[in-house]
Amino acid sequence: MLKSLTLLVCASNYLHRRSPTQLLTSLSSRHRPSLTLALTKTTNTWLTSPCWWCCFSRQKMSSSASASNGAAGGDQQGDPPPPQEHTEEEGGAGSKKGAKKADKKAAKEARKAEREQQQAAAHAASSVPDDIFVEGKFGLLPVIRSTVLDKRLWSAVKDIDKPNEGQCVWIRARLQTIRKKSNKMAFMVFRQQLWTIQGVLCESDEAPEIPKDMIKWAGSLTPESVVDVYGAVTVPQEPVKSTTQHSVELKVLQLFCVSKAAPILPFQLEDASRSEIEFEKDPELVHVNQDVRLDNRILDLRTRANQAIFRIESMVCQLFREYLYKEDFVEIHTPKMLGGASEGGAQCFRFQYFNQPACLAQSPQLFKQMVLSGDMNRVFEIGPVFRAENSFTYRHLCEFTGLDMEMTFNFHYYEVLDVLEKMFLYIFKGLNERCANEIAVVHEQFPAAPFQIPQPQEGDEGVPKVPRIEFQEGVRMLREAGTEGVPDDISEFDLSTTQEKALGKLVKDKYNTDFYMLVRYPLKVRPFYSMPDPNDETFSNSYDFFMRGEEIVSGAQRIHCPDLLVERARAWGMEVDTIKSYIDSFKLGAYPHAGCGVGLERVVMLFLGLNNVRKTSLFPRDPKRLAP
Amino acid sequence: MLKSLTLLVCASNYLHRRSPTQLLTSLSSRHRPSLTLALTKTTNTWLTSPCWWCCFSRQKMSSSASASNGAAGGDQQGDPPPPQEHTEEEGGAGSKKGAKKADKKAAKEARKAEREQQQAAAHAASSVPDDIFVEGKFGLLPVIRSTVLDKRLWSAVKDIDKPNEGQCVWIRARLQTIRKKSNKMAFMVFRQQLWTIQGVLCESDEAPEIPKDMIKWAGSLTPESVVDVYGAVTVPQEPVKSTTQHSVELKVLQLFCVSKAAPILPFQLEDASRSEIEFEKDPELVHVNQDVRLDNRILDLRTRANQAIFRIESMVCQLFREYLYKEDFVEIHTPKMLGGASEGGAQCFRFQYFNQPACLAQSPQLFKQMVLSGDMNRVFEIGPVFRAENSFTYRHLCEFTGLDMEMTFNFHYYEVLDVLEKMFLYIFKGLNERCANEIAVVHEQFPAAPFQIPQPQEGDEGVPKVPRIEFQEGVRMLREAGTEGVPDDISEFDLSTTQEKALGKLVKDKYNTDFYMLVRYPLKVRPFYSMPDPNDETFSNSYDFFMRGEEIVSGAQRIHCPDLLVERARAWGMEVDTIKSYIDSFKLGAYPHAGCGVGLERVVMLFLGLNNVRKTSLFPRDPKRLAP
């Protein structure tokens, strides 16, 4: 009875605060005698496999398996060292007496734990070989090389729920964690992208025969390995709080390793997935910094937040296109290798194109315009944009994804703003509807206020209007609020990032929106091809859009009259000859037109309220980062 | 009566072979006395405007309009000369007596025509200024600079049809052609992208008052100018064969020029739009060759065939994504600037990335794989691909658009082929359904057999199967057909373009399809990362897809086991250190996976049966072409 009770307390601790009585009720009669959990807290004894990836040696193809093992062992030296944070955490004690004592104790415990680990590893290694394969039960699968067609019915973790109770399912997933509680029981978490489910490996009604070797072998599996699991779906009495599939768990019946992860990872996924709130509560927690993440982006991408971020990013593109297709836009692909600088010469990556100098496109704008002159009167492009800007900020990248559009209009560039306004609202609403789960997952790790879009007002007929504020009015608002650095003569004035943020706040206070447009910028702060305001040439027919007070779109009515273009280029001190082909393109008859370019990564960053654009770029490029 | 008859014959000639009687019936009583068409073939007297684009000088902004006129006149020297074809056509007579006589006569006629043109131009210029503006009637509009909001209801040419008879509509369109038949009548064709409609400018029931100056001024308009037309929709007795809107024409009531095209175009759109069948019938016709087209791509893009081609290209992307979204794929954007060569070093554009060497991505493949290792288990990307291949062929470009996909599979790469097979059928069927008109338009100019897709066979349950032929079987078919150059030992053999085409023909004869897959290529002709066939390492788990006998897809199961990857890289004589990060990416646990890259331009070229990939690239890049 004592044994039963301690067992129950222990199991209860693990099973998320179930009361012993609850647990007792939930346990079948078969369980009770077979469970022999240790009373003490068990140590996770991941067995380091000297050559974990040489599973292919079990294939016919290589007769030099052992030689290759040796080589692989050598390769391991190249593995990334454990993150420094760990070391710092362990070695950070002070010089006080109490601390010394604590150090001593900790060192002793560490030595003990290490000894235990080594013993356990040695034992496990001697008794259950790493590459064991017991058909229909467990083991390391041969490398999958398309020898058999897949006849298996697979389940997705996200779909396994209460209605599946009693069914047996196959899943292929990452082994996120494994905790061997004893020789007879192990708990696992399996992960597929955003979704996780708990697995229990022990004898039970559903799994009457679990070989001891299976549990031993399972204990040797490294986290992040890819496994095939065959399990019975059961409903635990208390929801499993640590997984996304709260209501169910899998009683593991078969377990195979498809691909084993290295025993030492650059960082623990748990550390990389921790919420910023947890760090606030406990600053001592291991923190994986941005560069370590990006250096090991593959592992970093596996966090649930990152899985969500890049699904949201994909959806932004999808919504952008959906809306524009409905509005009769045509998708185009313009060249990225150009004979001359596309906008300004300074920020351009130059290279040799066979026997002539070339540069990478800093924007598809001139090509979009040419295509418009070629009668494709509404076009968009999603593609890379290259900027050789030597600046490290949280919001600049040297390569980003541009969402570009350009369209002809009839009389006023507001026709284009009307399209853009509806397009952005379509994107934001679409994200909220289709990516609600993903947004929530991102905010679990990186808390932020939801992105506020304008609500319909009286007279809007259900369709909200996005505030369209004139630059002069914006300046007036800033002056009124006492913002620093706003000159009296604004003819050459553009807002600084700080002023933009201040204005964003003022606009939010007044209009309750995180999204608005600022129009009619001073002519002198816009590119030469921006159409001057016909009523006051201090200003231009131009616009920027803002999200959470930061610019995401820049655009304008472009000059479509060649002579005016020449005049403006000269006013800018440009060599007209260098842009001759651009100017000539308007000599074949041109429609009035306007357009804009949107930085995809910035839109996603600001929609989610993230603090760095590197978080929304798969493999960011900045002046110092060109890999991976 | 004679006058009436000659008039009718002449008008009849113009109005597409209507019989005089038909025409007589169709003419209203108002018409008859007012028509005074000349008996001789009228010369089109386009008035060259000395400074056609200085319309902005009418704005307040510039006080130096005349100075700018002078400058613009100077600029005109830079206008492209008339295409050489014209000159050749005129000056190509031989030395025979008859030819001499003909030359003399032609020269005389040319001098006469020139004189007449000059006179007409002088007269028109003196009486109706080029920049006249008569409100509510006709004239040159001021440059549109967003002074008024658009309150006008516009119509699209493609939507104007019989049901609109009697309505008055506004269109903004290109003036494709204008033929002034007399001082009282002019015929025009207006074009919007793929669609054209005839306009008639003369007094009629619908247009009782047309000022003479309006017709004079209209005659001075240059083809390809952008115009605003207000006209009454009428139904001509005989369909207008030369326009897409056969059943209707516009009686022009108001006509304004929005943007005037240069009087001399690099080539005539009519010449660039001519069907290949017409050239076969009459090889003397002016032919605009590929380089002239590409040098003046803006004008070239305006042909109906090009409008159709790039709409089809846009649709291919749309269908590609639609299918993959349905299959739970996520869109990604991988970097194009890399620290090392992405596949082979030789064909890579190199440049300086701040203080380190870099190159442009030749394929997103390694990144797609890394993203898969990052748990995005089904991804696709549409983006530019850069190849520094110094080869001029009809099917190679130095920059093209890659449709890339990569996905994990469970046991066999055929799971990936299943997805790809359905995806391509979805694209082909989608094009046939959604772009039927565009396909027809392309084939009008470039005739080709329709693209044959596999039809469902017995047992296919309505879903056709794409032939999946083993490389060995393909070789056997070629041998049987007596194709040259097929060796006995095929372990290092790959098909030449000629052999691919021969095989395509054999497959079409046998399976009646222009689309099929060839699988299991010899290992030695595939990249090092291709998975060797587990049963016979002469071969690999790889595949190519073919359209009309030409390769459009190349792909394989990629090796996901790091040690096997190292072994294969060494077998290829590669420096393993240079691809260390790629190899390391599989050390964190990897799913079996496969994928492929598709060349968008090639798919469109082959689907349409075109003869050059430059026809399906907006601004093609080859070793000699980097502009526009």
Side-chain angles (χ1 to χ4, degrees):
Chain A
M1 185 60 197
L2 177 67
K3 199 178 164 190
S4 283
L5 259 179
T6 49
L7 153 75
L8 286 168
V9 171
C10 185
S12 159
N13 274 343
Y14 182 72
L15 291 170
H16 311 283
R17 299 183 199 82
R18 279 197 215 183
S19 74
T21 332
Q22 281 173 326
L23 194 69
L24 193 59
T25 329
S26 75
L27 285 173
S28 74
S29 58
R30 284 192 63 89
H31 267 106
R32 290 173 211 167
S34 69
L35 289 174
T36 54
L37 294 184
L39 269 169
T40 52
K41 195 181 171 192
T42 41
T43 319
N44 290 342
T45 54
W46 305 148
L47 304 181
T48 51
S49 66
C51 178
W52 53 268
W53 62 76
C54 65
C55 31
F56 82 100
S57 64
R58 302 177 65 242
Q59 300 278 325
K60 277 180 261 168
M61 73 164 295
S62 171
S63 58
S64 60
S66 57
S68 122
N69 282 3
D75 273 7
Q76 271 192 327
Q77 293 178 356
D79 278 336
Q84 290 205 333
E85 284 85 348
H86 281 288
T87 324
E88 282 164 12
E89 204 187 28
E90 283 162 11
S95 61
K96 286 178 189 171
K97 216 177 179 181
K100 252 190 183 168
K101 214 173 178 180
D103 272 5
K104 234 177 175 175
K105 198 183 163 193
K108 199 180 162 189
E109 275 178 0
R111 277 198 303 276
K112 193 185 158 200
E114 200 184 349
R115 207 164 46 239
E116 279 173 0
Q117 264 191 355
Q118 282 168 348
Q119 282 169 355
H123 175 69
S126 65
S127 60
V128 186
D130 208 36
D131 57 355
I132 192 172
F133 178 74
V134 182
E135 185 139 16
K137 282 290 173 193
F138 69 97
L140 182 64
L141 287 183
V143 176
I144 291 172
R145 286 174 63 181
S146 309
T147 40
V148 287
L149 291 174
D150 183 18
K151 305 277 184 196
R152 191 172 277 175
L153 198 67
W154 295 92
S155 295
V157 167
K158 68 173 172 179
D159 298 331
I160 304 174
D161 218 329
K162 271 190 180 167
N164 306 99
E165 189 180 4
Q167 293 173 7
C168 285
V169 296
W170 274 108
I171 59 167
R172 177 169 292 173
R174 292 227 180 252
L175 178 70
Q176 180 162 298
T177 57
I178 176 158
R179 304 186 200 209
K180 197 157 148 264
K181 305 303 284 185
S182 73
N183 287 336
K184 294 195 175 175
M185 191 174 215
F187 290 95
M188 290 161 248
V189 173
F190 304 114
R191 190 185 74 241
Q192 279 178 345
Q193 292 84 50
L194 284 160
W195 299 275
T196 51
I197 191 166
Q198 176 163 276
V200 187
L201 181 59
C202 66
E203 290 199 347
S204 66
D205 281 351
E206 294 82 8
E209 278 177 38
I210 295 293
K212 272 190 188 170
D213 277 0
M214 183 172 173
I215 298 171
K216 258 191 197 164
W217 175 83
S220 78
L221 283 171
T222 46
E224 295 302 308
S225 293
V226 178
V227 290
D228 281 354
V229 185
Y230 184 63
V233 181
T234 57
V235 175
Q237 202 152 5
E238 288 280 311
V240 187
K241 284 186 188 159
S242 62
T243 58
T244 61
Q245 308 311 98
H246 302 308
S247 324
V248 285
E249 61 183 17
L250 288 182
K251 290 273 162 36
V252 176
L253 304 170
Q254 297 185 44
L255 180 66
F256 298 97
C257 182
V258 172
S259 170
K260 211 164 178 179
I264 298 169
L265 299 175
F267 50 80
Q268 298 307 309
L269 215 60
E270 196 183 348
D271 295 332
S273 306
R274 207 165 271 133
S275 162
E276 286 180 351
I277 293 173
E278 287 179 68
F279 286 115
E280 274 170 30
K281 284 184 193 157
D282 181 0
E284 303 277 299
L285 285 169
V286 174
H287 191 277
V288 187
N289 71 36
Q290 185 88 63
D291 271 337
V292 174
R293 286 176 186 271
L294 295 181
D295 288 342
N296 303 280
R297 191 57 158 164
I298 291 174
L299 187 61
D300 184 41
L301 285 177
R302 294 181 191 167
T303 65
R304 293 181 65 239
N306 276 336
Q307 291 290 317
I309 285 171
F310 291 100
R311 278 171 171 73
I312 291 166
E313 197 149 288
S314 172
M315 187 57 78
V316 171
C317 295
Q318 197 175 339
L319 292 161
F320 174 81
R321 284 185 297 249
E322 272 180 20
Y323 187 80
L324 294 180
Y325 281 139
K326 279 196 279 188
E327 294 286 323
D328 276 337
F329 278 72
V330 172
E331 179 175 15
I332 56 169
H333 302 282
T334 64
K336 304 306 163 203
M337 299 194 292
L338 312 181
S342 53
E343 283 186 43
Q347 300 174 343
C348 145
F349 290 106
R350 295 178 187 286
F351 66 103
Q352 194 64 14
Y353 184 87
F354 301 100
N355 54 0
Q356 53 185 313
C359 74
L360 291 177
Q362 297 168 74
S363 147
Q365 196 216 310
L366 308 194
F367 283 96
K368 285 187 303 180
Q369 290 189 262
M370 285 203 269
V371 172
L372 248 54
S373 286
D375 275 6
M376 317 283 282
N377 58 340
R378 294 185 153 202
V379 297
F380 73 84
E381 174 166 18
I382 296 185
V385 172
F386 307 94
R387 302 273 167 92
E389 284 181 66
N390 199 348
S391 63
F392 293 91
T393 80
Y394 68 95
R395 62 188 203 137
H396 285 94
L397 291 171
C398 293
E399 179 176 346
F400 63 87
T401 306
L403 308 181
D404 271 271
M405 61 83 80
E406 196 82 18
M407 63 179 272
T408 59
F409 62 80
N410 295 314
F411 287 119
H412 203 296
Y413 71 97
Y414 272 25
E415 296 161 40
V416 179
L417 292 187
D418 291 344
V419 171
L420 285 171
E421 165 176 303
K422 291 197 194 93
M423 181 191 84
F424 273 104
L425 291 177
Y426 184 83
I427 292 174
F428 299 145
K429 284 181 190 168
L431 288 178
N432 284 331
E433 283 163 20
R434 302 190 204 171
C435 291
N437 180 43
E438 284 81 357
I439 295 168
V441 166
V442 175
H443 286 166
E444 268 171 35
Q445 179 162 1
F446 306 108
F451 186 77
Q452 183 67 48
I453 57 175
Q455 297 306 305
Q457 305 295 314
E458 236 176 282
D460 282 359
E461 289 166 10
V463 184
K465 287 256 181 359
V466 176
R468 209 172 281 185
I469 299 167
E470 290 214 355
F471 187 83
Q472 273 175 302
E473 166 66 9
V475 165
R476 200 195 54 74
M477 286 169 75
L478 285 172
R479 275 206 199 99
E480 218 163 63
T483 312
E484 279 184 9
V486 183
D488 289 335
D489 174 9
I490 60 165
S491 66
E492 296 188 33
F493 174 60
D494 200 355
L495 302 178
S496 69
T497 309
T498 317
Q499 288 160 340
E500 284 179 348
K501 284 185 185 167
L503 184 56
K505 215 182 153 316
L506 296 173
V507 172
K508 180 148 189 188
D509 290 346
K510 189 167 175 186
Y511 299 97
N512 191 27
T513 172
D514 282 319
F515 178 60
Y516 80 101
M517 303 174 177
L518 200 61
V519 302
R520 211 167 165 259
Y521 274 70
L523 181 63
K524 287 188 178 165
V525 303
R526 307 299 281 200
F528 76 96
Y529 48 71
S530 308
M531 182 64 88
D533 186 305
N535 301 313
D536 180 354
E537 293 200 2
T538 315
F539 297 98
S540 58
N541 293 347
S542 57
Y543 40 86
D544 276 9
F545 295 1
F546 293 86
M547 288 173 68
R548 298 191 200 251
E550 299 197 38
E551 182 246 309
I552 50 142
V553 169
S554 205
Q557 172 179 2
R558 333 287 190 182
I559 298 173
H560 64 283
C561 170
D563 250 17
L564 182 51
L565 204 53
V566 167
E567 190 188 286
R568 291 299 311 150
R570 285 190 181 136
W572 269 73
M574 292 176 76
E575 286 288 339
V576 175
D577 277 352
T578 61
I579 51 163
K580 190 178 173 306
S581 69
Y582 175 62
I583 293 170
D584 285 350
S585 72
F586 300 107
K587 292 185 179 173
L588 304 175
Y591 292 84
H593 61 285
C596 71
V598 187
L600 172 63
E601 293 83 356
R602 221 182 252 190
V603 167
V604 177
M605 168 180 84
L606 294 166
F607 181 80
L608 293 170
L610 298 172
N611 63 1
N612 198 311
V613 75
R614 287 162 187 78
K615 285 197 168 75
T616 56
S617 171
L618 269 177
F619 299 97
R621 295 287 179 259
D622 66 31
K624 284 193 180 158
R625 180 172 290 282
L626 188 57
Chain B
M1 186 58 199
L2 176 71
K3 199 177 163 190
S4 284
L5 259 176
T6 50
L7 151 74
L8 286 169
V9 171
C10 185
S12 157
N13 275 341
Y14 181 73
L15 290 171
H16 312 283
R17 298 183 200 82
R18 281 196 213 183
S19 75
T21 333
Q22 281 173 327
L23 194 69
L24 192 62
T25 330
S26 75
L27 284 175
S28 73
S29 60
R30 284 189 64 88
H31 266 105
R32 290 175 212 165
S34 70
L35 290 173
T36 55
L37 294 182
L39 266 169
T40 52
K41 196 180 170 194
T42 40
T43 319
N44 290 344
T45 53
W46 306 148
L47 303 181
T48 51
S49 64
C51 178
W52 54 268
W53 62 76
C54 64
C55 32
F56 82 100
S57 65
R58 302 176 67 240
Q59 299 279 326
K60 277 180 264 170
M61 73 165 294
S62 170
S63 59
S64 61
S66 57
S68 121
N69 281 4
D75 272 8
Q76 272 192 325
Q77 294 177 354
D79 279 337
Q84 290 206 330
E85 284 84 350
H86 281 287
T87 324
E88 282 164 12
E89 204 186 26
E90 284 160 13
S95 61
K96 288 179 187 171
K97 216 175 179 183
K100 252 188 183 172
K101 216 172 175 180
D103 273 5
K104 233 176 176 178
K105 198 182 162 192
K108 198 179 161 190
E109 275 179 0
R111 276 197 304 277
K112 193 185 157 199
E114 199 183 349
R115 206 162 50 236
E116 280 172 1
Q117 265 191 356
Q118 282 168 351
Q119 282 168 356
H123 174 70
S126 65
S127 61
V128 186
D130 208 37
D131 58 354
I132 193 172
F133 178 74
V134 182
E135 185 139 14
K137 284 288 175 192
F138 70 98
L140 182 65
L141 288 183
V143 177
I144 291 171
R145 288 174 61 181
S146 308
T147 41
V148 287
L149 291 174
D150 183 17
K151 305 277 184 200
R152 191 171 279 175
L153 198 67
W154 295 92
S155 294
V157 167
K158 68 172 170 178
D159 298 331
I160 305 175
D161 218 328
K162 271 190 182 167
N164 306 99
E165 189 180 5
Q167 292 173 8
C168 284
V169 296
W170 273 108
I171 59 167
R172 176 169 292 174
R174 291 228 180 251
L175 179 70
Q176 179 162 300
T177 57
I178 175 157
R179 303 184 197 210
K180 196 157 150 263
K181 305 304 284 184
S182 73
N183 287 336
K184 296 195 173 175
M185 190 175 215
F187 290 95
M188 291 161 247
V189 173
F190 304 114
R191 190 185 73 240
Q192 278 178 346
Q193 293 84 50
L194 283 161
W195 299 274
T196 51
I197 192 167
Q198 176 163 277
V200 187
L201 181 59
C202 67
E203 291 200 346
S204 66
D205 282 351
E206 293 83 8
E209 279 176 39
I210 296 293
K212 273 190 187 170
D213 277 0
M214 182 171 174
I215 298 172
K216 258 188 197 165
W217 175 82
S220 79
L221 283 171
T222 45
E224 295 301 307
S225 292
V226 178
V227 290
D228 281 355
V229 184
Y230 184 64
V233 181
T234 56
V235 174
Q237 199 153 5
E238 288 281 309
V240 187
K241 285 186 186 156
S242 62
T243 59
T244 61
Q245 308 312 97
H246 302 308
S247 326
V248 285
E249 60 183 16
L250 289 182
K251 289 273 161 39
V252 176
L253 304 169
Q254 295 185 45
L255 180 66
F256 298 97
C257 181
V258 172
S259 171
K260 210 164 175 177
I264 297 169
L265 300 175
F267 50 79
Q268 299 306 309
L269 215 60
E270 195 184 347
D271 295 332
S273 306
R274 206 164 274 133
S275 160
E276 286 180 351
I277 293 173
E278 287 179 69
F279 286 117
E280 273 170 30
K281 284 184 193 157
D282 181 0
E284 303 277 297
L285 285 169
V286 175
H287 190 277
V288 187
N289 71 38
Q290 185 89 63
D291 270 337
V292 174
R293 285 175 186 273
L294 295 180
D295 287 342
N296 303 282
R297 189 59 157 164
I298 292 174
L299 187 61
D300 184 41
L301 285 177
R302 294 181 191 168
T303 64
R304 294 180 65 237
N306 276 336
Q307 291 289 318
I309 286 170
F310 292 101
R311 278 171 170 74
I312 291 167
E313 196 150 289
S314 172
M315 186 57 78
V316 171
C317 295
Q318 196 175 338
L319 291 161
F320 174 81
R321 285 185 297 249
E322 272 180 21
Y323 187 79
L324 294 180
Y325 281 140
K326 279 196 281 188
E327 293 286 323
D328 277 337
F329 278 71
V330 172
E331 180 175 14
I332 57 169
H333 302 281
T334 64
K336 304 306 163 203
M337 299 193 292
L338 313 181
S342 52
E343 284 184 45
Q347 300 175 341
C348 143
F349 290 105
R350 297 178 186 285
F351 65 103
Q352 193 65 12
Y353 184 87
F354 300 101
N355 55 1
Q356 53 185 313
C359 73
L360 290 177
Q362 296 168 74
S363 147
Q365 196 215 309
L366 308 193
F367 283 95
K368 285 188 304 181
Q369 290 188 262
M370 287 203 267
V371 172
L372 248 55
S373 286
D375 274 5
M376 318 284 281
N377 58 340
R378 294 184 154 204
V379 297
F380 73 84
E381 174 166 18
I382 296 185
V385 172
F386 307 94
R387 302 271 167 94
E389 285 180 66
N390 199 349
S391 63
F392 293 90
T393 80
Y394 68 95
R395 60 186 206 143
H396 285 93
L397 291 171
C398 293
E399 178 176 346
F400 63 88
T401 306
L403 308 182
D404 271 271
M405 61 83 80
E406 197 82 17
M407 62 179 272
T408 60
F409 63 81
N410 296 315
F411 288 119
H412 202 296
Y413 71 98
Y414 272 26
E415 296 161 39
V416 180
L417 292 188
D418 290 345
V419 171
L420 285 170
E421 165 175 303
K422 290 196 195 91
M423 182 190 83
F424 272 104
L425 291 178
Y426 183 82
I427 292 174
F428 299 144
K429 283 181 190 168
L431 288 177
N432 284 331
E433 283 162 21
R434 301 189 206 172
C435 291
N437 180 42
E438 282 81 356
I439 295 168
V441 167
V442 175
H443 285 166
E444 268 170 36
Q445 179 162 2
F446 306 109
F451 187 77
Q452 183 67 49
I453 57 175
Q455 297 306 305
Q457 305 296 315
E458 237 177 279
D460 282 0
E461 289 165 9
V463 184
K465 287 256 180 3
V466 176
R468 208 171 281 185
I469 299 167
E470 290 214 356
F471 187 83
Q472 274 174 303
E473 166 65 10
V475 164
R476 201 195 53 75
M477 287 168 76
L478 284 172
R479 274 206 199 101
E480 217 162 64
T483 312
E484 280 184 8
V486 182
D488 289 335
D489 174 8
I490 59 164
S491 65
E492 296 188 32
F493 174 61
D494 201 355
L495 301 178
S496 69
T497 309
T498 316
Q499 288 160 341
E500 284 178 348
K501 283 185 186 169
L503 183 56
K505 215 184 152 315
L506 296 173
V507 172
K508 181 148 188 188
D509 289 346
K510 187 167 176 186
Y511 299 98
N512 192 28
T513 172
D514 282 319
F515 179 59
Y516 80 100
M517 303 173 175
L518 200 62
V519 303
R520 210 166 166 259
Y521 274 70
L523 181 62
K524 287 189 179 165
V525 303
R526 308 298 283 200
F528 76 97
Y529 48 70
S530 309
M531 182 65 88
D533 185 305
N535 301 314
D536 180 354
E537 293 201 3
T538 315
F539 298 98
S540 58
N541 293 347
S542 58
Y543 42 85
D544 277 9
F545 295 0
F546 293 86
M547 287 173 70
R548 298 192 200 250
E550 299 196 38
E551 182 244 310
I552 51 142
V553 169
S554 205
Q557 172 178 2
R558 333 287 190 183
I559 299 172
H560 63 284
C561 170
D563 250 16
L564 182 51
L565 203 52
V566 167
E567 190 188 286
R568 291 299 311 149
R570 285 191 181 136
W572 270 71
M574 292 176 77
E575 285 288 337
V576 174
D577 277 353
T578 61
I579 51 164
K580 189 176 174 304
S581 69
Y582 175 61
I583 293 170
D584 284 349
S585 72
F586 300 107
K587 292 185 178 172
L588 304 174
Y591 292 85
H593 62 285
C596 70
V598 187
L600 173 63
E601 292 83 356
R602 223 182 252 191
V603 168
V604 177
M605 169 180 85
L606 293 167
F607 180 80
L608 293 170
L610 298 172
N611 63 0
N612 198 311
V613 75
R614 286 162 188 80
K615 284 197 170 76
T616 57
S617 171
L618 269 178
F619 299 97
R621 295 287 179 259
D622 65 31
K624 285 193 179 157
R625 180 171 289 283
L626 188 58

